[in-house]
Amino acid sequence: MISFTPSEEQIVMKETLEKLVQSLIKDNAHDMDEKREIPGEFIEKFRELGTAQSPIPEEHGGYGLPSSPLMNAIILEELAAGDMGYAIASTLPSLFITALLDLGSDAQKAKYLPAFAAGECEGTLAINEPRFRFDAMMPATTAEAKGGSFVINGTKCYVPLAGKAKHILVAARSGNENGLFIVDAGTAGMAVGEKEKNLGLNTLETNTVHFTECKIPEENKLTGADGYDRLLQKTRVAMAALGTGVSRASYEYARNYAKERVQFGEPIASRQAVAFMIAEMAYEVDAMRLMTWKAASSLEAGRDAKREAYLAKLYTGEMAMKITDYGVQVLGGHGYIREHPVERYYRNGRGISCLEGLAAV
Amino acid sequence: MLNLETPDYIANLRNGINNLAKSVLRPVARKYDEEEHAYPKELDMFRGMQILGKPKKKKKEGEEKSAADSGPAKPKKGINLSTVAVIEEMCWGDAGLLLSIPNAGLGNAAIAAVATDEQMERFGNMWAAMAITEPGSGSDSGSIGTTAILEGDEWVLNGEKIFVTCADRCDCVVVWATVDKKAGKSGIKSFVVEKDRPGFKLEHLEHKLGIRASDTGTFVLDNCRIPKNNILGSAEVKQGTEGFKGVMKTFDNTRPMVASMATGIARAAVDFMREKILENGITLDYSANPNNISAIEKEFYLMEAHLEAMRLLTWRAAWMADNEQFNNTEASMSKAKAGRYGTLITQKACELLGPLGFTRDELAEKWMRDSKIMDIFEGTGQIQHLIVARNVLEMSSKELK
Ligand SMILES: Cc1cc2nc3c(=O)[nH]c(=O)nc-3n(C[C@H](O)[C@H](O)[C@H](O)COP(=O)(O)OP(=O)(O)OC[C@H]3O[C@@H](n4cnc5c(N)ncnc54)[C@H](O)[C@@H]3O)c2cc1C
């Protein structure tokens, strides 16, 4: 039955993460961004909660609980309200695990999941490509079948933690369909580049990865039919959740600031020109969240969520720009200075519509 | 347990009402737009259908409560969600006609909310309009100047009320008047004035941009006398603004309804756009990078996305009311968003339709005109922003004017 209220369990998770973000991230996000890294123990703190292990079957060392796109959307929003790079980095194993659970064969699950269940392993997804008119549905990277192997050629960018990942899941065109291929670290023909320098998401280490005649065994292809589409849906909803989180952070900061900042003898919030921006931020953040939850609800019900996921990402991508822009504007010149987080939210918010596949629900 | 999947009972209701809208409202939508002020007799079949006015403590409830409407998260009370769903479908058919449904005026909602049994007996079967607005008092409804003075067993009313929806067609009007100007907002009370009371005169009907099927008029109250027990609620003037706040609270139910009207009209425009796009051999597959598709496709997807956002905000506000959660902020959020984006979507549809968006041979231009009112009545867009801002900033109306 329809409900707009999170369950007890969802509320507990949200509150737990709110506290975690408050104590670890909020005050450190600025330094993390400047230093362009996240202290390893911060990432561990989240991973200790075991959300990545939760959907891994018991036989592979996990908790065997049903995976919940709604819960994952709540998690991503909450973490992104602290720092979007942190949200992506700390939940990264889930991206690989989700793909494997949905699309992997039994043998693939048995091979890869135990290490993830033990928390010993980093895995990532390579989807974006550094080119104009990039389209996730039409990767330029190719995987050609050749005598029991696949040969991968192409360049991927914004691959989260590619330098640390043991396995990289590569989206590539194979024949006339899209497929996902597991490439292990150290495979000949794969070169992981330096840490990229980007507009935003500074805290997150991302790399460009080149594939030149990179040969992988046939069994490294994920087999699930239509799987690529489904994974893309899950990543789009995740991007929407991240967009909601970063926009919410900007909204909350601007709202509090507007009440404190006094000009012309009154808090700037007492002027409609400012207050109406705050109001719009408030309902658009809610709308973004509802769009995300709507698509996540479809996924949770096991339905195809192509349309909902697409619209959620489109909406949150547009709105993340609008809302984080408002955030800077409400602070005026102070919003332009890196001491205040709204400039960071503005840079990070740009990523939602530019990029694909940085997390999954 | 969070779940935004549309429940079966709502999906079925929407289907049923959509058929009705398609077969009864759409075919005459243009006719009553052209024949402004003509009574749409096709609507007689809806007389008594509870669309806008929902009797609260009455037994009417539970009609929609089929087997599907069970489970732990089923609405405890009220039918706000099903009401907004019905309204969206009806307005997909025609908004002006929805506003003209007999016995479903805003006044009916006000009566149903507070009437005594005796009053329900007398007014329950009447078509009741609502008259708050005056020439000098629009958004600032607390400043109304119409007066009501008790003389023996009668109230004597004086003043002028404008922009009254269903002014010509209604049987009675719920009139806001002050019994004590010095008391400010707490002096404001509502009175049921039957159309045939002496001194009560329908002065003229307006000619409007849109919703022309709905009649809008001005009343003059010139020493208009009504029985003492035509007052709704208590006559006592209480200290503070609690009483007025109570009156304003009905807006928490009606604003999502107006948001839903905007959603219904915008959806009509979106559906028409989709039809035209598909007719022209363009596929909408919801997968390609939005910047690699044609401008018309991207604009269309954005229209759809905003439409969905309007509906979700509206359904949330209605669902909260059903579950007895205070929804003042959320109700205004839904109307702020839907009022504004209903306007933008219907404008955009006309733009994308080109010549088809400017001709009266199609309904698109009409939807653009109809939609505009949704950002004006029941509190303008600015007023909704003001309410949301005060709530989220936790500022009083003195701190944030
Ligand atoms: C077709 C139609 C049907 C209607 N039906 C009814 C009905 O049935 N019953 C009824 O009582 N009324 C009805 N109304 C009246 C409607 O509710 C009012 O028109 C509306 O509340 C706005 O009041 P106003 O027109 O006087 O505008 P004003 O209040 O004069 O507003 C003019 C502009 O100023 C802005 N503004 C006003 N105050 C503020 C503020 N504090 N901060 C920022 N901006 C502000 C407004 O948003 C608006 O843009 C109807 C109106 C129309 C057009």
Side-chain angles (χ1 to χ4, degrees), chain B residues 36 40 58 64 70-72 74 85 105 126 133 209 239 289 294 298 335 363 372 379:
Chain B
E36 196 167 15
K58 303 280 168 322
E64 272 87 19
S70 54
K74 87 166 193 208
M126 285 186 173
T133 308
L209 171 68
Q239 291 290 315
N289 178 341
S294 65
K298 182 174 182 185
K335 190 172 182 298
L363 288 170
K372 187 62 217 157

Side-chain angles (χ1 to χ4, degrees), chain A residues 272 276, chain B residues 106 130-135 137-140 162-165 208 211 216 373 376-383 386 401:
Chain A
Q272 288 191 353
F276 285 11
Chain B
L106 279 169
M130 186 89 197
I132 303 169
T133 308
E134 300 176 358
S137 176
S139 299
D140 185 9
I162 62 169
F163 298 164
V164 180
T165 299
K208 305 193 297 294
I211 55 162
T216 311
I373 191 60
I376 298 176
F377 63 14
E378 294 290 293
T380 63
Q382 289 95 323
I383 296 302
L386 202 50
K401 288 208 185 73

Side-chain angles (χ1 to χ4, degrees), chain A residues 191-213:
Chain A
V192 177
E194 289 292 289
K195 183 182 175 187
E196 291 166 344
K197 292 179 179 162
N198 299 320
L199 166 69
L201 294 180
N202 284 346
T203 56
L204 176 71
E205 175 162 354
T206 62
N207 311 78
T208 301
V209 183
H210 302 277
F211 299 91
T212 323
E213 297 294 311

Side-chain angles (χ1 to χ4, degrees), chain A residues 79-115:
Chain A
L79 296 177
D83 181 71
M84 208 167 120
Y86 176 69
I88 295 165
S90 57
T91 61
L92 197 62
S94 294
L95 181 54
F96 194 92
I97 292 165
T98 301
L100 219 66
L101 285 173
D102 283 3
L103 312 170
S105 65
D106 288 345
Q108 285 166 335
K109 286 180 195 164
K111 181 170 172 194
Y112 297 102
L113 288 178

